[in-house]
Amino acid sequence: MEVTVSRKAHFNAAHRLFNEKWSDKKNSDVFGKCNYPNYHGHNYELIVSVTGKINPDTGYVIDMGELKKIIKNEIEERLDHKNLNLDVPYFSNVIPSAENICIYIYDILRNYIQKEFHLSVKLYETPRNFVEYSGN
Amino acid sequence: MEVTVSRKAHFNAAHRLFNEKWSDKKNSDVFGKCNYPNYHGHNYELIVSVTGKINPDTGYVIDMGELKKIIKNEIEERLDHKNLNLDVPYFSNVIPSAENICIYIYDILRNYIQKEFHLSVKLYETPRNFVEYSGN
Amino acid sequence: MEVTVSRKAHFNAAHRLFNEKWSDKKNSDVFGKCNYPNYHGHNYELIVSVTGKINPDTGYVIDMGELKKIIKNEIEERLDHKNLNLDVPYFSNVIPSAENICIYIYDILRNYIQKEFHLSVKLYETPRNFVEYSGN
Amino acid sequence: MEVTVSRKAHFNAAHRLFNEKWSDKKNSDVFGKCNYPNYHGHNYELIVSVTGKINPDTGYVIDMGELKKIIKNEIEERLDHKNLNLDVPYFSNVIPSAENICIYIYDILRNYIQKEFHLSVKLYETPRNFVEYSGN
Amino acid sequence: MEVTVSRKAHFNAAHRLFNEKWSDKKNSDVFGKCNYPNYHGHNYELIVSVTGKINPDTGYVIDMGELKKIIKNEIEERLDHKNLNLDVPYFSNVIPSAENICIYIYDILRNYIQKEFHLSVKLYETPRNFVEYSGN
Amino acid sequence: MEVTVSRKAHFNAAHRLFNEKWSDKKNSDVFGKCNYPNYHGHNYELIVSVTGKINPDTGYVIDMGELKKIIKNEIEERLDHKNLNLDVPYFSNVIPSAENICIYIYDILRNYIQKEFHLSVKLYETPRNFVEYSGN
C-alpha cells in the first residue's frame, strides 16, 4: 500500500539559455528572448514527491518537516537568489533549461531520500511552463 | 480509450497527531507542532479522479453530478467541520495524518465507484503539503 | 532519461450537452443544467504535456515556443470564442463533454508532436472539474 | 470599527457582445471575437464584499451562510448555465459586458443587504479580466 | 507618493464559534456546523499591507524581510497550530470569528508598524471566505 | 456610476538591489540575498486597473483588447526577459525594488490612459510579495 506525499517549495533565480558551441545568431534564433545576454529570471516553484509505504507508528511516508529541511538545505541554499549560469558550477557547461534544472534537483535529492522510496520532481518555471522528472 | 475525470471538493477539520503508545516527549519530538494537545486544523482540498471508458450516449466517463453527490454524502458529511480524532471512529486508533485520511477516503469511495473504473484520491492538507493514493 | 514538459493555454467557448437520439425529458434528466437549450460556457484551461528525451544541444525536450504556437494555431484558433456545438463540425454528432473535447484536442495535437514523444492532454472545464487523456 | 467580509461564488454562462444599433461590420470591428454570432462563454467567479460593524453577539458582520444563500438564490439561479443574451431579460437591451453584469448583480444584491452596510461586487470574467463595482 | 506593500503568510488553527451567554440550541441555530463542540480548523492565509512613502535609499516602503519576521514572531508564534478558543487568552471571551481574528492580528501588528504608515490586514479563513480590517 | 476594470499581464526579469553610494557591506546588510552580485529574477505578475464610467454603446469602461495591447507594447516590450539594472535606462540610478518598478509602470501607462480615468497598478514580485501604486 503506497502513498505519494508532496511538498512545495520555491526559489528565485536568474538565468539565460545559450549554447557556447553556437554562433550568437544561432543562439538567438533557437532561444529567442531566453538568450538575451544580461539574464532574466523566474520564481521557480518546486514540488517534490516521494512514494512509499506508510510507517504505522507515525502515519507518515516521510516526515514532511524533514523533507522541507532537505529541500531548504540542499536546493534552496544552492539556487535561491542565484544566477544559475554564473553561480552554480553544474551549469557552467549544462544549459540551465527547466528540464536540466529539474534533473539537477532530482539528482541531489535522490541522495537524501531512502532507496526504497520513489522520487519525482516537478518544477514550474512560470505558472504556464513546467517540467517533471522521475529518474528514468 | 480511457479518460480520467477529476472532481474537486473540500472540507474543514481539526486534528492532532500523536501515538498513544509513546510518551509525551517522544510524541512531541516526532510530531512537533502537529502534536499540540488542543488540536489545530486545515482546509482540506480533495481531488477525486476516476479513470474509465467514455459512455458514448453521454460523453461521460461518470456523471460529475453523481460523483459530487457521493463525495458530499460519504466524505463531507463525515469529515466537514469535525474533529478527526474525536468525531470519526476510524481515527480513534489510526493517526489522522494526511496519508491515513487519504486512504480512509479512498476506501469509502471505492464502494461507490464501479469496479471497472480506476480510482485515485489526492488530498491537500495545505497548499504546500499533499498526498495521493490509488489503492495499491 | 525522459522528462515531461507541460504548457498551459486557455480558450473560452459555449456548449450544451444533449443526445439527439433522446427525448427532451431524457436529455434534461441526464444532463440537468448542462442541457439548457441556449448554451452556457466555460473558460477552458488546457495543459499539454510532452514526454521525451532532452536534446543536449538545447536542453529542451521540445521548444516551448513551438508548442505554444501549435496550441494557438491548431486548438485556440478552432475553439476560442466559439460555440462548440454549432461552430466545430466534429461536435455536430459528438457530445461536447469535457471528455470528448479532450480527445478531440489530443487527436489534433498528436499529428504535430513527433512520434517518439508521449503526449498527454489535461482540460479544466472549471477549476473544480477536469479531465485527462493520454491516447489509450 | 468596520470590517469587510467577502464571499466567493461562481456561475457558468454564455454570452456575446453586440450593439443592435450598429452594422455587423462595426460590431465585429469593435467587439472582435466577443461578437461571434453563436456565443461563447465563461466561468464567472464572483466576490461579494460587505462592510459594516461587527455584531458582538456573533462576531459576524453578516452571516456568511446567509450571504451564500442570497447569492445562490438571487444570482446563481438567474445566471448559472444560462445564455445571458437570450435567457436574462435585463440583457435583452443591455450589452452583457463584464461591467454591465457586475452592475446587474450589485443592483439585485443591494436589495438584500441592510442599508447600513457598504456593498461591493467583483466579477472575474476570466482569471485575466475582472471588474468591480461599489454602487457609485 | 505612497505605495502599498503586501506580504502573505499563513497559519493553521482550530476553533469553534459559540456564545457562552446562549443556550446550546441557540448556538447551534446561529452558528450551524461552526458550533460543533470538538472544534474544526482552517489554513488561514494572511495578507498584511503597509502603505507609506518610499525610502529613496532602499527603494522600500518597509523591509519585507523585517515585516516577514514581525508576522512570524508576533502572529504565527501565537496562532500557528493552536486552538484559538483554548490556547489564545484573547479568545477566552471573544468569539474567534474571522472578523475578530483579523482585528486581533491588526491590533498586535499596529504596535510594530511605524505610526506614519497605514496598515491593513486581510485574512482568508477559506479560499471562499475572507475578511479585511484597516483600523477604523 | 464608475466601474473598475482590471487586466492581468506578466513578464520575467532579472534584477538585484544595491545602492551605489553604500559600501558592499552595508548593501549586503540592508538587502541580504537580494544584493547578490550576479542577479536573480522573478516572474512578475502585473494587474492594471482602470476606473471610469461605462460607455453605453460598448458596455466597456475601456476596451480590454486595447489595454492588453498597451501593456504589451509599453511594458512587456521594455521589461520582459530583461535585466532591469542593465537593460532599462530608468533603473541605472533608481533601485529596481518592486515599489520602484510599480511606479515606473504606472508613469508609463498614465500617458496612454485617458485623463478622466483613475489608474492603479499592482505588481506581484512573488506570490507572497506584492505592491500597489495609484499615482499619489
Side-chain angles (χ1 to χ4, degrees), chain B residues 10 12-14 33-34 36 38-45 80-83 86-87 124-128, chain E residues 10 12-14 33-34 36 38-45 80-83 86-87 124-128:
Chain B
H10 52 88
N12 311 320
K33 291 190 296 186
C34 299
Y36 284 178
N38 290 325
Y39 310 98
H40 62 281
H42 299 289
N43 303 325
Y44 291 93
E45 299 274 337
D80 190 31
H81 283 74
K82 298 293 174 62
N83 182 308
L86 301 179
D87 298 329
Y124 285 76
E125 193 170 84
T126 74
R128 290 155 292 279
Chain E
H10 52 88
N12 312 320
K33 293 190 294 186
C34 299
Y36 284 178
N38 290 324
Y39 310 99
H40 62 280
H42 299 290
N43 303 324
Y44 291 94
E45 299 274 338
D80 190 29
H81 282 75
K82 297 292 175 62
N83 182 308
L86 301 179
D87 298 329
Y124 285 77
E125 193 171 82
T126 73
R128 289 156 292 279

Side-chain angles (χ1 to χ4, degrees), chain B residues 5-8 64-65, chain C residues 98 123-131:
Chain B
V5 301
S6 297
R7 173 80 201 166
K8 210 171 168 183
M64 288 288 217
Chain C
L123 182 71
Y124 284 77
E125 193 170 84
T126 74
R128 289 155 292 280
N129 283 349
F130 53 97
V131 303

Side-chain angles (χ1 to χ4, degrees), chain A residues 104-122:
Chain A
Y104 168 81
I105 292 171
Y106 176 93
D107 285 345
I108 291 175
L109 291 179
R110 187 64 273 186
N111 300 313
Y112 295 87
I113 304 296
Q114 289 172 262
K115 287 244 172 59
E116 67 263 33
F117 291 146
H118 180 259
L119 173 66
S120 185
V121 172
K122 197 170 192 171

Side-chain angles (χ1 to χ4, degrees), chain A residues 37-100:
Chain A
N38 290 325
Y39 310 98
H40 62 281
H42 300 289
N43 302 325
Y44 291 93
E45 298 276 336
L46 175 66
I47 297 175
V48 177
S49 298
V50 174
T51 305
K53 291 199 173 22
I54 295 178
N55 176 339
D57 286 340
T58 57
Y60 287 167
V61 168
I62 185 175
D63 183 331
M64 288 290 217
E66 282 307 307
L67 184 55
K68 185 181 172 183
K69 254 188 247 168
I70 293 169
I71 297 171
K72 188 169 169 37
N73 293 341
E74 303 304 326
I75 306 303
E76 294 177 31
E77 282 298 315
R78 279 179 169 96
L79 303 183
D80 189 31
H81 282 74
K82 298 292 175 61
N83 181 310
L84 301 180
N85 302 71
L86 301 179
D87 298 329
V88 184
Y90 181 91
F91 294 112
S92 62
N93 62 351
V94 171
I95 298 169
S97 64
E99 290 91 329
N100 283 334

Side-chain angles (χ1 to χ4, degrees), chain E residues 4-21:
Chain E
T4 298
V5 301
S6 297
R7 173 78 200 168
K8 210 172 167 182
H10 52 88
F11 58 91
N12 312 320
H15 79 154
R16 68 180 291 236
L17 303 184
F18 74 104
N19 184 327
E20 58 186 0
K21 296 177 212 145

Side-chain angles (χ1 to χ4, degrees), chain C residues 81-130:
Chain C
H81 283 74
K82 298 292 174 63
N83 182 309
L84 301 180
N85 303 71
L86 301 180
D87 297 329
V88 184
Y90 180 91
F91 294 113
S92 63
N93 62 350
V94 171
I95 299 169
S97 64
E99 289 92 328
N100 282 335
I101 303 170
C102 193
I103 290 175
Y104 168 80
I105 292 171
Y106 176 93
D107 285 346
I108 292 175
L109 291 179
R110 188 64 272 186
N111 300 313
Y112 295 86
I113 305 296
Q114 288 173 262
K115 287 246 171 59
E116 68 263 33
F117 291 146
H118 180 259
L119 173 67
S120 186
V121 172
K122 198 170 190 169
L123 182 71
Y124 284 77
E125 193 170 84
T126 74
R128 289 155 292 280
N129 283 349
F130 53 97

